[in-house]
Amino acid sequence: MDYKTLFDSHVEKLKLENRYRYFVELERQVGRHPHAIWHSETGPKEVTVWCSNDYLGMGQSNHAIESMNKAVSNFGTGAGGTRNISGTSSSIVALENECALVHNKERALVFTSGYVANEASISAILSMMDNPLVLSDSMNHASIISGIRYSRADKAIFRHNDVSHLEELLAAQPIERHKLIIFESVYSMDGDTSPIAEIIALAKNYNALTYLDEVHAVGMYGEYGGGVAQRDGLSDDIDIIQGTFGKAYGAMGGYIAASDVICDAIRSFGSGFIFTTAMPPALAEAALASVSYLRTSSSERDAQQQQAAKLKQRFKEIGIPALPSTTHIVPVMVGDASKCSEISWTLLKEHNLYIQPINYPTVPRGTERLRITPGPLHTDEMIETLVQALATTMKKIDPPSMHANAEDTQIAQNG
């Protein structure tokens, strides 16, 4: 067996389909967000980043930096082991208590990433259920899918945000069968939100648990940064809320918040929790500083919403084909993988603007896009620079989306 040829053929196929991922080497600089240094082939260049998941710039905030520096000096760089083998630091315990407080839940569990939080929690919950059925939104992201697959539970996929379809699936099951409904609050590729209240009502009516992924919402919505469910006054009715420290909180790691018994069960049966080295205290302290700060400060999320609204309005005025997002995520449709990558590279090389292209399998073929994430530190001048550069580039490259009608855009949004 010629393994090299085997692997080369798979990689080459990605390149031919314009699905190969080219990494752009960026050097973030404290106090300069959303600017960064791009280490290009011709040398370093300053660029403005428009696709970062550090949505509020908290990864460069004095709160997080000072807490992390102090923790490294006091505790060192590593955790020393798994949570069960010397890795449960006072910093992690404090972070878990803070997350529970943010979401008004009895308890929280911290994981090494949001991906691990989903995979470990979902698989553990389903493994303890009797003949469970998991009902998953068709747009749920990879870590949720992985957790479901790992559990080997029966699954039913309901059409994106379609509560009627979800009810059909629920009604077809015996009321006593164990059921888990998994969905997200903010879907990061379209920027839309889920019908949380309707899903909660169905869960109560059909005896199902609810699992809500809030990774693209925590820190940015709700009175205390608890997410969209908190903003809408619904978080107390969600059984398990999952979040991340790697996006709006500007650190790294993930967590769930739920009842004491659910967290204790996942802590006891989730292999991704049990057998992974714990989060280092310094990282936990950085996350804790951000979570604590955003629990009391709303100025960052208010400014984020203001700048997102400005960008959407300018796109509308100038004719840029952006989806009608209701959140801070602004997807600009392209509709062709090759041209999506070409637009991204043109913006980077000619205008010093970085927006990563989003192609299949992250989104369906024919719905390729640029995913733009304006934040509170993107100024009005930066917005106008982006609008003009994107308009020029889109006109030059002429992607299919520039000729799509409203119906085509809606089809793309629905996936």
Side-chain angles (χ1 to χ4, degrees):
M1 173 65 72
D2 184 354
Y3 291 108
K4 182 181 184 301
T5 300
L6 172 68
F7 299 137
D8 279 345
S9 67
H10 281 277
V11 172
E12 191 60 31
K13 182 180 179 182
L14 288 178
K15 292 179 179 179
L16 290 172
E17 295 176 355
N18 293 293
R19 296 196 291 122
Y20 184 77
R21 290 178 170 90
Y22 293 93
F23 294 155
V24 174
E25 182 183 347
L26 298 174
E27 181 181 318
R28 284 154 58 88
Q29 299 176 304
V30 173
R32 295 284 293 151
H33 184 81
H35 295 298
I37 300 299
W38 169 38
H39 290 277
S40 69
E41 294 179 354
T42 59
K45 297 179 181 180
E46 184 173 274
V47 299
T48 303
V49 180
W50 279 98
C51 57
S52 175
N53 283 343
D54 187 0
Y55 292 128
L56 302 178
M58 292 299 294
Q60 300 189 20
S61 70
N62 290 332
H63 314 283
I65 292 171
E66 290 173 3
S67 295
M68 193 172 194
N69 283 338
K70 183 178 179 181
V72 169
S73 298
N74 290 338
F75 311 128
T77 58
T82 65
R83 289 295 296 271
N84 186 51
I85 306 176
S86 80
T88 297
S89 64
S90 57
S91 299
I92 287 184
V93 173
L95 179 56
E96 289 176 334
N97 290 339
E98 185 70 16
C99 290
L101 186 63
V102 165
H103 294 285
N104 192 34
K105 297 295 185 184
E106 292 178 347
R107 192 169 174 180
L109 283 180
V110 165
F111 298 78
T112 52
S113 73
Y115 193 103
V116 173
N118 267 338
E119 188 176 67
S121 298
I122 292 168
S123 60
I125 291 167
L126 291 169
S127 72
M128 288 179 277
M129 290 181 170
D130 182 21
N131 185 32
L133 175 69
V134 56
L135 301 106
S136 178
D137 189 287
S138 63
M139 294 288 284
N140 281 341
H141 54 210
S143 58
I144 292 174
I145 296 169
S146 181
I148 295 170
R149 285 176 176 168
Y150 187 62
S151 75
R152 299 183 180 179
D154 291 344
K155 66 178 181 293
I157 308 301
F158 61 93
R159 291 185 293 270
H160 179 51
N161 282 346
D162 190 334
V163 291
S164 296
H165 188 212
L166 174 59
E167 184 165 22
E168 289 177 18
L169 297 171
L170 287 165
Q173 299 299 318
I175 193 68
E176 66 273 10
R177 186 178 188 184
H178 291 170
K179 296 174 283 289
L180 177 66
I181 303 172
I182 306 178
F183 60 112
E184 302 176 35
S185 62
V186 174
Y187 289 89
S188 64
M189 290 300 113
D190 285 352
D192 59 337
T193 58
S194 57
I196 300 175
E198 291 87 342
I199 292 176
I200 289 172
L202 289 177
K204 290 181 177 180
N205 192 40
Y206 289 97
N207 189 33
L209 280 178
T210 49
Y211 187 108
L212 178 62
D213 182 311
E214 290 256 33
V215 296
H216 291 280
V218 290
M220 295 171 286
Y221 299 89
E223 183 178 0
Y224 307 113
V228 174
Q230 184 177 89
R231 181 198 68 183
D232 296 345
L234 299 167
S235 56
D236 289 350
D237 293 316
I238 296 292
D239 295 300
I240 304 112
I241 294 174
Q242 186 260 344
T244 183
F245 307 117
K247 294 181 172 60
Y249 290 128
M252 185 176 179
Y255 67 93
I256 62 159
S259 66
D260 184 77
V261 67
I262 287 177
C263 287
D264 202 26
I266 294 171
R267 167 190 177 275
S268 301
F269 290 92
S271 62
F273 179 86
I274 297 169
F275 299 108
T276 301
T277 298
M279 176 188 289
L283 193 54
E285 290 290 342
L288 175 60
S290 289
V291 175
S292 300
Y293 174 79
L294 289 173
R295 184 164 62 85
T296 59
S297 175
S298 61
S299 60
E300 290 79 10
R301 46 183 168 263
D302 290 344
Q304 178 195 44
Q305 292 300 316
Q306 181 182 42
Q307 296 308 90
K310 286 180 181 178
L311 182 61
K312 293 174 192 176
Q313 181 60 33
R314 287 296 291 128
F315 280 167
K316 183 178 180 180
E317 291 169 353
I318 207 166
I320 298 293
L323 289 181
S325 162
T326 58
T327 66
H328 60 283
I329 297 169
V330 185
V332 171
M333 301 307 293
V334 177
D336 178 271
S338 178
K339 291 192 174 185
C340 192
S341 296
E342 185 181 358
I343 291 169
S344 174
W345 279 110
T346 301
L347 289 172
L348 182 61
K349 292 178 179 179
E350 297 183 10
H351 301 278
N352 298 322
L353 302 172
Y354 175 55
I355 310 172
Q356 181 68 20
I358 306 295
N359 294 334
Y360 177 84
T362 305
V363 295
R365 286 187 173 91
T367 70
E368 293 82 4
R369 67 199 65 183
L370 303 175
R371 176 183 175 273
I372 302 174
T373 55
L377 299 179
H378 286 105
T379 65
D380 291 354
E381 182 181 1
M382 291 178 192
I383 289 175
E384 193 58 32
T385 297
L386 171 64
V387 168
Q388 296 302 328
L390 188 54
T392 299
T393 303
M394 295 282 276
K395 182 178 180 180
K396 173 183 175 183
I397 296 174
D398 195 30
S401 61
M402 295 296 285
H403 308 283
N405 56 37
E407 182 180 354
D408 294 329
T409 301
Q410 190 62 46
I411 291 173
Q413 185 177 18
N414 292 337

